[in-house]
Amino acid sequence: MASTPSTAPPLGTTTVSIDLGDRSYDIRIGSGLLDDPDSYSGLPRSGTALIVTNTTVGPLYAARLTKALQSHHKKVLVVELPDGEQYKDWPALNQIFTTLLETGSDRKTVLYALGGGVVGDMTGFAAACYMRGVPFVQVPTTLLAQVDSSVGGKTAINHPAGKNMIGAFYQPQRVICDIDTLDTLAQSELLAGLAEVIKYGPIADVEFLTWLEANLDALLARDRTALRHAIKRSCEIKTWVVGQDEKESGLRAILNFGHTFGHAIEAGLGYGQWLHGEAVGCGMVMAADLSSRLGLIDAATSLRIKALVERAGLPVHGPDLGADRYLELMRVDKKAEDGEIRFVLVGPLGQASMRAAPDSVVREVIALHTGPR
Ligand code: NAD
Ligand code: GLY
C-alpha cells in the first residue's frame, strides 16, 4: 500500500474482488466506466433492466447508463425516487415495486442502483424482496457509496425509531465506481464520504491513516489519483472484513466505528438534518475519546483522529440532544444486546473491537463533545 503521495498508483481501471463463494463479485474503479459497455460485460442479459435513481442523479446520469445498457437489455426503464435520507422509507421503496409490477417486470429483471447510499440501500432491498430476489448492480455516484455502502450487501430502509432497521443482506452482482461521476458531487457530500474513508485507518490500517493525513488536501481538491487510491484501499479493507464476516456475527461490526454515536445524531435530529457522513465523522471523534477514556488508546491518538476529521471539514461537536436522549437512541442500535449499548472502540490504533462501556464514561464523552458551545 502507498504511504506517500508519490507512490499512489496511476489512474486507470482497477478491480477489487470480494470472495463470498457463489455470491462473489468485482468492484471496478476508474474513469469513464459509466458509458463503457465493457463495464457491464458478463452481467445477466435479461429482457428488462430497471435503473433506480433519484431526482438529482437521474437527470445527470440516467440517460448515459440507459444507453450503455441497451446492448444488454431489450427494455431499460428508469424510476426516479425523491432525493434525501428522509425518503429512505416504505413509500419510496414501494415506488420501486409499483414500477416493477406495472411494467410486468419478471424475476430475471436486473435492477441498477444509480446514485448514492440511499438509492443503493433501497435498490438492494427492493432487489432482495421483489419476487423473492432479482439480481442487482451497484453504480455508486457518491464517494461514500463508492467506498462503503455499495460494497458488502447491506440493504435497508429507515424506521422513525431507528436507522437502517428494516433490511436484508443481499449482495450485488457487480459494483461499478466511475470516479468521473464525483465531479458533480457537492463538496459537503465529498466530505461526508471522506468520513467513511477516514474510518478505515483507525480500525484496520495505520499506514492508510498516515497516507490520508499526507493526502487530505489532494482528496479535498478531488485529485483523481488520490481519490482512486482512497477508493481502492477502502474497498480492499471493506472486502477483507466482509469476506470474513458477511452477516456481521462479529468482525464486520468494526465497520461501524463512529456509527453508534452517529446514528443517534441522525435519528435524534431527524433524518436529513445532518448528512450521514457528517454524523459518522463526529461519532468517530466521540468513539475515539471513549476508547481513550477506557485506556485502549492514549489521548494523543484520540486527538490525532479528531484532528483529521476536523481538517476534513467535518463536524467534531454534536448537537444538543441531552445525554439521556443520546443513550436512549443508542440502545436501539443494531449492535445493542439486551438494551446494553455496544461501541466499536479503537485500540491499539489500526485495530478495533466491540465493547460495552459504563454509562458514566459515555456521559462524560457526550458532555464534552455535544451540546451548546
Ligand atoms: P445520498 O445517497 O443521500 O447522496 C447524497 C446526495 O448526493 C444526494 O442528494 C444525492 O442525490 C446526491 N448525489 C449523488 N450522486 C451525485 C453526483 N454524482 N452528483 C451530484 N449529486 C449526487 O447519501 P450517501 O452519503 O451517498 O449515502 C448515505 C446513505 O448510505 C445512508 O442512508 C447510510 O445509511 C447508507 N450507508 C449504507 C452502508 C451500507 O453498508 N449499506 C454504509 C454506509 C452508509
Ligand atoms: N457500513 C458498515 C457495513 O457495511 O458493515
Side-chain angles (χ1 to χ4, degrees), residues 174-227:
R174 185 168 297 162
V175 180
I176 299 163
C177 299
D178 187 337
I179 295 176
D180 298 347
T181 60
L182 302 181
D183 287 350
T184 51
L185 198 60
Q187 191 67 4
S188 57
E189 299 291 352
L190 188 87
L191 306 188
L194 277 178
E196 301 279 15
V197 175
I198 290 170
K199 93 175 168 196
Y200 291 112
I203 62 166
D205 188 347
V206 181
E207 218 183 317
F208 185 50
L209 180 64
T210 306
W211 183 91
L212 287 169
E213 288 167 334
N215 289 272
L216 188 65
D217 293 342
L219 290 168
L220 291 170
R222 302 181 192 220
D223 175 275
R224 274 167 207 243
T225 308
L227 277 173

Short mmCIF file of all heavy atoms in Angstrom, two decimals, residues 174-227:
data_model
loop_
_atom_site.label_atom_id
_atom_site.label_comp_id
_atom_site.label_asym_id
_atom_site.label_seq_id
_atom_site.Cartn_x
_atom_site.Cartn_y
_atom_site.Cartn_z
N ARG A 174 -22.30 -6.83 -9.19
CA ARG A 174 -21.08 -6.07 -9.50
C ARG A 174 -21.24 -4.67 -8.91
O ARG A 174 -22.36 -4.20 -8.71
CB ARG A 174 -20.87 -5.96 -11.02
CG ARG A 174 -19.56 -5.28 -11.40
CD ARG A 174 -19.27 -5.44 -12.87
NE ARG A 174 -19.10 -6.83 -13.24
CZ ARG A 174 -19.17 -7.31 -14.48
NH1 ARG A 174 -19.41 -6.50 -15.49
NH2 ARG A 174 -19.01 -8.60 -14.72
N VAL A 175 -20.10 -4.03 -8.69
CA VAL A 175 -20.10 -2.61 -8.29
C VAL A 175 -19.26 -1.85 -9.31
O VAL A 175 -18.13 -2.26 -9.60
CB VAL A 175 -19.52 -2.43 -6.86
CG1 VAL A 175 -19.54 -0.96 -6.46
CG2 VAL A 175 -20.28 -3.27 -5.84
N ILE A 176 -19.83 -0.81 -9.87
CA ILE A 176 -19.13 -0.04 -10.90
C ILE A 176 -18.94 1.39 -10.39
O ILE A 176 -19.90 2.16 -10.30
CB ILE A 176 -19.93 -0.06 -12.22
CG1 ILE A 176 -20.08 -1.52 -12.71
CG2 ILE A 176 -19.27 0.81 -13.29
CD1 ILE A 176 -21.15 -1.72 -13.75
N CYS A 177 -17.70 1.70 -10.00
CA CYS A 177 -17.40 3.03 -9.42
C CYS A 177 -16.75 3.89 -10.49
O CYS A 177 -15.54 3.77 -10.75
CB CYS A 177 -16.42 2.91 -8.25
SG CYS A 177 -17.00 1.93 -6.88
N ASP A 178 -17.52 4.76 -11.10
CA ASP A 178 -16.96 5.70 -12.08
C ASP A 178 -16.57 6.98 -11.33
O ASP A 178 -17.44 7.76 -10.92
CB ASP A 178 -18.00 5.99 -13.17
CG ASP A 178 -17.41 6.83 -14.30
OD1 ASP A 178 -16.41 7.54 -14.06
OD2 ASP A 178 -17.96 6.78 -15.42
N ILE A 179 -15.26 7.17 -11.19
CA ILE A 179 -14.77 8.32 -10.41
C ILE A 179 -15.24 9.64 -11.03
O ILE A 179 -15.43 10.63 -10.32
CB ILE A 179 -13.22 8.27 -10.32
CG1 ILE A 179 -12.78 7.03 -9.53
CG2 ILE A 179 -12.65 9.53 -9.68
CD1 ILE A 179 -11.28 6.83 -9.48
N ASP A 180 -15.44 9.65 -12.35
CA ASP A 180 -15.86 10.89 -13.02
C ASP A 180 -17.19 11.42 -12.48
O ASP A 180 -17.45 12.61 -12.52
CB ASP A 180 -16.00 10.68 -14.53
CG ASP A 180 -14.68 10.29 -15.18
OD1 ASP A 180 -13.63 10.41 -14.51
OD2 ASP A 180 -14.70 9.84 -16.35
N THR A 181 -18.05 10.51 -12.00
CA THR A 181 -19.36 10.97 -11.51
C THR A 181 -19.21 11.85 -10.26
O THR A 181 -20.11 12.61 -9.93
CB THR A 181 -20.31 9.80 -11.20
OG1 THR A 181 -19.73 8.98 -10.18
CG2 THR A 181 -20.60 8.97 -12.43
N LEU A 182 -18.05 11.73 -9.61
CA LEU A 182 -17.86 12.55 -8.40
C LEU A 182 -17.68 14.03 -8.75
O LEU A 182 -17.77 14.89 -7.86
CB LEU A 182 -16.65 12.05 -7.59
CG LEU A 182 -16.72 10.58 -7.15
CD1 LEU A 182 -15.48 10.21 -6.34
CD2 LEU A 182 -17.98 10.30 -6.34
N ASP A 183 -17.43 14.33 -10.03
CA ASP A 183 -17.23 15.74 -10.44
C ASP A 183 -18.43 16.62 -10.08
O ASP A 183 -18.28 17.80 -9.81
CB ASP A 183 -17.03 15.83 -11.96
CG ASP A 183 -15.66 15.33 -12.38
OD1 ASP A 183 -14.81 15.09 -11.49
OD2 ASP A 183 -15.44 15.15 -13.60
N THR A 184 -19.63 16.02 -10.12
CA THR A 184 -20.83 16.84 -9.90
C THR A 184 -21.30 16.83 -8.45
O THR A 184 -22.32 17.43 -8.12
CB THR A 184 -21.98 16.33 -10.80
OG1 THR A 184 -22.11 14.91 -10.61
CG2 THR A 184 -21.73 16.63 -12.27
N LEU A 185 -20.55 16.14 -7.62
CA LEU A 185 -20.95 15.99 -6.22
C LEU A 185 -20.68 17.27 -5.43
O LEU A 185 -19.62 17.88 -5.58
CB LEU A 185 -20.13 14.84 -5.62
CG LEU A 185 -20.62 14.19 -4.34
CD1 LEU A 185 -22.01 13.58 -4.53
CD2 LEU A 185 -19.63 13.11 -3.92
N ALA A 186 -21.65 17.68 -4.61
CA ALA A 186 -21.45 18.85 -3.74
C ALA A 186 -20.26 18.59 -2.81
O ALA A 186 -20.02 17.46 -2.40
CB ALA A 186 -22.71 19.11 -2.93
N GLN A 187 -19.53 19.67 -2.47
CA GLN A 187 -18.36 19.50 -1.61
C GLN A 187 -18.74 18.88 -0.25
O GLN A 187 -18.02 18.05 0.28
CB GLN A 187 -17.64 20.85 -1.42
CG GLN A 187 -16.28 20.78 -0.77
CD GLN A 187 -15.20 20.08 -1.63
OE1 GLN A 187 -15.44 19.70 -2.78
NE2 GLN A 187 -14.01 19.90 -1.07
N SER A 188 -19.90 19.29 0.27
CA SER A 188 -20.32 18.74 1.58
C SER A 188 -20.49 17.22 1.49
O SER A 188 -20.20 16.50 2.45
CB SER A 188 -21.63 19.40 2.05
OG SER A 188 -22.63 19.20 1.07
N GLU A 189 -20.94 16.74 0.34
CA GLU A 189 -21.12 15.29 0.16
C GLU A 189 -19.77 14.59 0.01
O GLU A 189 -19.60 13.45 0.44
CB GLU A 189 -22.00 15.00 -1.07
CG GLU A 189 -23.40 15.56 -0.99
CD GLU A 189 -24.28 14.87 0.06
OE1 GLU A 189 -23.86 13.85 0.63
OE2 GLU A 189 -25.39 15.38 0.31
N LEU A 190 -18.82 15.28 -0.63
CA LEU A 190 -17.48 14.70 -0.72
C LEU A 190 -16.90 14.53 0.68
O LEU A 190 -16.33 13.48 1.02
CB LEU A 190 -16.57 15.61 -1.56
CG LEU A 190 -15.21 15.00 -1.87
CD1 LEU A 190 -15.27 14.14 -3.14
CD2 LEU A 190 -14.14 16.07 -2.02
N LEU A 191 -17.08 15.56 1.51
CA LEU A 191 -16.57 15.49 2.88
C LEU A 191 -17.25 14.35 3.65
O LEU A 191 -16.60 13.62 4.41
CB LEU A 191 -16.81 16.81 3.62
CG LEU A 191 -16.28 18.09 2.96
CD1 LEU A 191 -16.44 19.28 3.90
CD2 LEU A 191 -14.83 17.94 2.54
N ALA A 192 -18.55 14.22 3.45
CA ALA A 192 -19.28 13.13 4.14
C ALA A 192 -18.70 11.77 3.74
O ALA A 192 -18.55 10.88 4.57
CB ALA A 192 -20.77 13.21 3.81
N GLY A 193 -18.34 11.65 2.47
CA GLY A 193 -17.72 10.40 2.01
C GLY A 193 -16.35 10.19 2.65
O GLY A 193 -15.96 9.07 2.98
N LEU A 194 -15.64 11.31 2.84
CA LEU A 194 -14.31 11.19 3.45
C LEU A 194 -14.39 10.63 4.87
O LEU A 194 -13.45 9.97 5.33
CB LEU A 194 -13.62 12.56 3.48
CG LEU A 194 -12.93 12.98 2.18
CD1 LEU A 194 -12.34 14.39 2.34
CD2 LEU A 194 -11.81 11.99 1.83
N ALA A 195 -15.50 10.89 5.55
CA ALA A 195 -15.64 10.33 6.91
C ALA A 195 -15.53 8.81 6.86
O ALA A 195 -14.84 8.19 7.68
CB ALA A 195 -16.98 10.76 7.52
N GLU A 196 -16.21 8.20 5.88
CA GLU A 196 -16.18 6.73 5.80
C GLU A 196 -14.80 6.26 5.31
O GLU A 196 -14.39 5.15 5.63
CB GLU A 196 -17.29 6.21 4.88
CG GLU A 196 -18.71 6.60 5.32
CD GLU A 196 -19.30 5.72 6.42
OE1 GLU A 196 -18.55 4.97 7.08
OE2 GLU A 196 -20.53 5.80 6.63
N VAL A 197 -14.11 7.07 4.54
CA VAL A 197 -12.74 6.71 4.14
C VAL A 197 -11.84 6.74 5.38
O VAL A 197 -11.07 5.80 5.64
CB VAL A 197 -12.20 7.69 3.07
CG1 VAL A 197 -10.73 7.39 2.77
CG2 VAL A 197 -13.03 7.63 1.79
N ILE A 198 -11.95 7.83 6.14
CA ILE A 198 -11.09 8.00 7.33
C ILE A 198 -11.26 6.84 8.29
O ILE A 198 -10.29 6.36 8.88
CB ILE A 198 -11.39 9.36 8.02
CG1 ILE A 198 -10.88 10.52 7.14
CG2 ILE A 198 -10.77 9.42 9.42
CD1 ILE A 198 -11.34 11.90 7.61
N LYS A 199 -12.49 6.35 8.43
CA LYS A 199 -12.75 5.31 9.44
C LYS A 199 -11.88 4.07 9.23
O LYS A 199 -11.51 3.40 10.20
CB LYS A 199 -14.24 4.94 9.46
CG LYS A 199 -14.61 3.77 8.58
CD LYS A 199 -16.03 3.33 8.67
CE LYS A 199 -16.31 2.38 7.51
NZ LYS A 199 -17.72 2.16 7.26
N TYR A 200 -11.52 3.77 7.96
CA TYR A 200 -10.76 2.55 7.71
C TYR A 200 -9.36 2.60 8.32
O TYR A 200 -8.79 1.56 8.63
CB TYR A 200 -10.64 2.29 6.20
CG TYR A 200 -11.96 1.92 5.55
CD1 TYR A 200 -12.58 2.77 4.64
CD2 TYR A 200 -12.57 0.70 5.84
CE1 TYR A 200 -13.78 2.42 4.03
CE2 TYR A 200 -13.78 0.35 5.24
CZ TYR A 200 -14.37 1.21 4.33
OH TYR A 200 -15.57 0.87 3.74
N GLY A 201 -8.81 3.79 8.48
CA GLY A 201 -7.47 3.90 9.06
C GLY A 201 -7.44 3.42 10.50
O GLY A 201 -6.78 2.41 10.82
N PRO A 202 -8.17 4.11 11.40
CA PRO A 202 -8.11 3.71 12.81
C PRO A 202 -8.50 2.26 13.07
O PRO A 202 -7.95 1.62 13.95
CB PRO A 202 -9.11 4.67 13.49
CG PRO A 202 -9.22 5.84 12.58
CD PRO A 202 -8.95 5.35 11.19
N ILE A 203 -9.45 1.72 12.27
CA ILE A 203 -9.93 0.37 12.60
C ILE A 203 -9.08 -0.74 11.97
O ILE A 203 -9.11 -1.87 12.43
CB ILE A 203 -11.41 0.15 12.18
CG1 ILE A 203 -11.60 0.28 10.65
CG2 ILE A 203 -12.33 1.10 12.94
CD1 ILE A 203 -12.94 -0.26 10.16
N ALA A 204 -8.31 -0.38 10.88
CA ALA A 204 -7.68 -1.50 10.16
C ALA A 204 -6.30 -1.23 9.58
O ALA A 204 -5.61 -2.18 9.24
CB ALA A 204 -8.60 -1.96 9.02
N ASP A 205 -5.88 0.02 9.44
CA ASP A 205 -4.67 0.24 8.65
C ASP A 205 -4.02 1.60 9.02
O ASP A 205 -4.40 2.63 8.48
CB ASP A 205 -5.04 0.21 7.16
CG ASP A 205 -3.82 0.25 6.25
OD1 ASP A 205 -2.72 0.53 6.73
OD2 ASP A 205 -3.99 0.00 5.04
N VAL A 206 -3.06 1.53 9.91
CA VAL A 206 -2.40 2.77 10.37
C VAL A 206 -1.67 3.45 9.21
O VAL A 206 -1.64 4.68 9.10
CB VAL A 206 -1.40 2.47 11.52
CG1 VAL A 206 -0.75 3.76 12.00
CG2 VAL A 206 -2.09 1.79 12.67
N GLU A 207 -1.10 2.62 8.32
CA GLU A 207 -0.38 3.18 7.17
C GLU A 207 -1.34 4.00 6.28
O GLU A 207 -0.98 5.06 5.76
CB GLU A 207 0.23 2.04 6.35
CG GLU A 207 1.60 2.37 5.80
CD GLU A 207 2.12 1.23 4.93
OE1 GLU A 207 1.97 0.07 5.33
OE2 GLU A 207 2.68 1.55 3.86
N PHE A 208 -2.55 3.50 6.13
CA PHE A 208 -3.56 4.23 5.34
C PHE A 208 -3.94 5.52 6.06
O PHE A 208 -4.13 6.57 5.43
CB PHE A 208 -4.79 3.35 5.12
CG PHE A 208 -5.84 3.96 4.22
CD1 PHE A 208 -5.50 4.51 2.98
CD2 PHE A 208 -7.18 3.97 4.60
CE1 PHE A 208 -6.48 5.06 2.14
CE2 PHE A 208 -8.16 4.52 3.77
CZ PHE A 208 -7.81 5.06 2.54
N LEU A 209 -4.01 5.48 7.38
CA LEU A 209 -4.31 6.70 8.15
C LEU A 209 -3.22 7.74 7.90
O LEU A 209 -3.50 8.93 7.66
CB LEU A 209 -4.40 6.36 9.65
CG LEU A 209 -4.70 7.51 10.60
CD1 LEU A 209 -6.09 8.10 10.35
CD2 LEU A 209 -4.61 7.06 12.06
N THR A 210 -1.98 7.30 7.90
CA THR A 210 -0.86 8.20 7.64
C THR A 210 -0.93 8.74 6.21
O THR A 210 -0.69 9.93 5.96
CB THR A 210 0.48 7.45 7.87
OG1 THR A 210 0.44 6.90 9.18
CG2 THR A 210 1.68 8.37 7.74
N TRP A 211 -1.29 7.85 5.27
CA TRP A 211 -1.46 8.27 3.86
C TRP A 211 -2.55 9.34 3.77
O TRP A 211 -2.40 10.34 3.06
CB TRP A 211 -1.79 7.06 2.99
CG TRP A 211 -1.91 7.39 1.52
CD1 TRP A 211 -0.92 7.36 0.59
CD2 TRP A 211 -3.09 7.84 0.83
NE1 TRP A 211 -1.41 7.76 -0.64
CE2 TRP A 211 -2.73 8.05 -0.52
CE3 TRP A 211 -4.41 8.08 1.22
CZ2 TRP A 211 -3.64 8.49 -1.48
CZ3 TRP A 211 -5.32 8.52 0.25
CH2 TRP A 211 -4.93 8.71 -1.07
N LEU A 212 -3.63 9.13 4.49
CA LEU A 212 -4.74 10.11 4.45
C LEU A 212 -4.29 11.46 5.01
O LEU A 212 -4.63 12.51 4.46
CB LEU A 212 -5.94 9.58 5.25
CG LEU A 212 -6.72 8.45 4.59
CD1 LEU A 212 -7.71 7.83 5.58
CD2 LEU A 212 -7.46 8.96 3.35
N GLU A 213 -3.52 11.42 6.08
CA GLU A 213 -3.03 12.67 6.66
C GLU A 213 -2.17 13.42 5.64
O GLU A 213 -2.25 14.64 5.51
CB GLU A 213 -2.25 12.39 7.96
CG GLU A 213 -3.18 11.98 9.09
CD GLU A 213 -2.45 11.39 10.30
OE1 GLU A 213 -1.34 10.84 10.16
OE2 GLU A 213 -3.01 11.46 11.40
N ALA A 214 -1.37 12.66 4.89
CA ALA A 214 -0.47 13.28 3.91
C ALA A 214 -1.21 13.74 2.65
O ALA A 214 -0.76 14.64 1.95
CB ALA A 214 0.63 12.28 3.52
N ASN A 215 -2.33 13.11 2.35
CA ASN A 215 -3.01 13.35 1.06
C ASN A 215 -4.37 14.01 1.20
O ASN A 215 -5.11 14.10 0.21
CB ASN A 215 -3.17 12.03 0.31
CG ASN A 215 -1.84 11.52 -0.20
OD1 ASN A 215 -1.41 11.86 -1.30
ND2 ASN A 215 -1.15 10.74 0.63
N LEU A 216 -4.68 14.48 2.41
CA LEU A 216 -6.03 15.03 2.61
C LEU A 216 -6.31 16.21 1.69
O LEU A 216 -7.39 16.31 1.10
CB LEU A 216 -6.23 15.43 4.08
CG LEU A 216 -7.67 15.83 4.40
CD1 LEU A 216 -8.62 14.64 4.25
CD2 LEU A 216 -7.78 16.41 5.79
N ASP A 217 -5.32 17.08 1.52
CA ASP A 217 -5.55 18.26 0.67
C ASP A 217 -5.83 17.84 -0.77
O ASP A 217 -6.69 18.42 -1.44
CB ASP A 217 -4.36 19.22 0.73
CG ASP A 217 -4.23 19.84 2.12
OD1 ASP A 217 -5.23 19.79 2.88
OD2 ASP A 217 -3.13 20.35 2.46
N ALA A 218 -5.11 16.84 -1.25
CA ALA A 218 -5.34 16.34 -2.62
C ALA A 218 -6.75 15.76 -2.74
O ALA A 218 -7.44 15.98 -3.74
CB ALA A 218 -4.29 15.29 -2.98
N LEU A 219 -7.17 15.05 -1.72
CA LEU A 219 -8.52 14.47 -1.75
C LEU A 219 -9.58 15.57 -1.74
O LEU A 219 -10.56 15.52 -2.49
CB LEU A 219 -8.73 13.54 -0.56
CG LEU A 219 -7.92 12.23 -0.61
CD1 LEU A 219 -7.97 11.51 0.73
CD2 LEU A 219 -8.45 11.32 -1.71
N LEU A 220 -9.35 16.59 -0.91
CA LEU A 220 -10.32 17.69 -0.84
C LEU A 220 -10.38 18.45 -2.17
O LEU A 220 -11.42 18.99 -2.53
CB LEU A 220 -9.94 18.66 0.30
CG LEU A 220 -10.13 18.10 1.71
CD1 LEU A 220 -9.50 19.02 2.76
CD2 LEU A 220 -11.61 17.87 2.02
N ALA A 221 -9.25 18.46 -2.90
CA ALA A 221 -9.21 19.13 -4.21
C ALA A 221 -9.64 18.18 -5.33
O ALA A 221 -9.54 18.50 -6.50
CB ALA A 221 -7.81 19.65 -4.48
N ARG A 222 -10.10 16.98 -4.97
CA ARG A 222 -10.60 15.96 -5.92
C ARG A 222 -9.55 15.49 -6.90
O ARG A 222 -9.85 15.21 -8.06
CB ARG A 222 -11.83 16.47 -6.67
CG ARG A 222 -12.95 16.86 -5.75
CD ARG A 222 -14.17 17.34 -6.49
NE ARG A 222 -15.09 17.96 -5.55
CZ ARG A 222 -16.40 17.82 -5.55
NH1 ARG A 222 -16.98 17.10 -6.47
NH2 ARG A 222 -17.13 18.43 -4.64
N ASP A 223 -8.31 15.44 -6.45
CA ASP A 223 -7.26 14.87 -7.28
C ASP A 223 -7.63 13.40 -7.57
O ASP A 223 -7.85 12.61 -6.65
CB ASP A 223 -5.93 14.95 -6.52
CG ASP A 223 -4.81 14.26 -7.28
OD1 ASP A 223 -4.68 13.03 -7.13
OD2 ASP A 223 -4.09 14.95 -8.00
N ARG A 224 -7.71 13.07 -8.87
CA ARG A 224 -8.25 11.75 -9.22
C ARG A 224 -7.37 10.60 -8.78
O ARG A 224 -7.85 9.54 -8.40
CB ARG A 224 -8.47 11.66 -10.73
CG ARG A 224 -9.81 12.22 -11.08
CD ARG A 224 -9.92 12.44 -12.56
NE ARG A 224 -10.88 13.51 -12.71
CZ ARG A 224 -12.04 13.39 -13.32
NH1 ARG A 224 -12.38 12.28 -13.89
NH2 ARG A 224 -12.86 14.40 -13.38
N THR A 225 -6.07 10.82 -8.86
CA THR A 225 -5.16 9.74 -8.46
C THR A 225 -5.32 9.45 -6.97
O THR A 225 -5.38 8.29 -6.55
CB THR A 225 -3.71 10.13 -8.77
OG1 THR A 225 -3.65 10.53 -10.14
CG2 THR A 225 -2.77 8.97 -8.56
N ALA A 226 -5.42 10.53 -6.20
CA ALA A 226 -5.60 10.35 -4.75
C ALA A 226 -6.96 9.71 -4.47
O ALA A 226 -7.06 8.78 -3.65
CB ALA A 226 -5.47 11.69 -4.04
N LEU A 227 -7.99 10.18 -5.16
CA LEU A 227 -9.33 9.61 -4.94
C LEU A 227 -9.35 8.13 -5.28
O LEU A 227 -9.90 7.31 -4.55
CB LEU A 227 -10.36 10.33 -5.81
CG LEU A 227 -10.93 11.64 -5.26
CD1 LEU A 227 -11.80 12.32 -6.31
CD2 LEU A 227 -11.73 11.41 -3.98
#
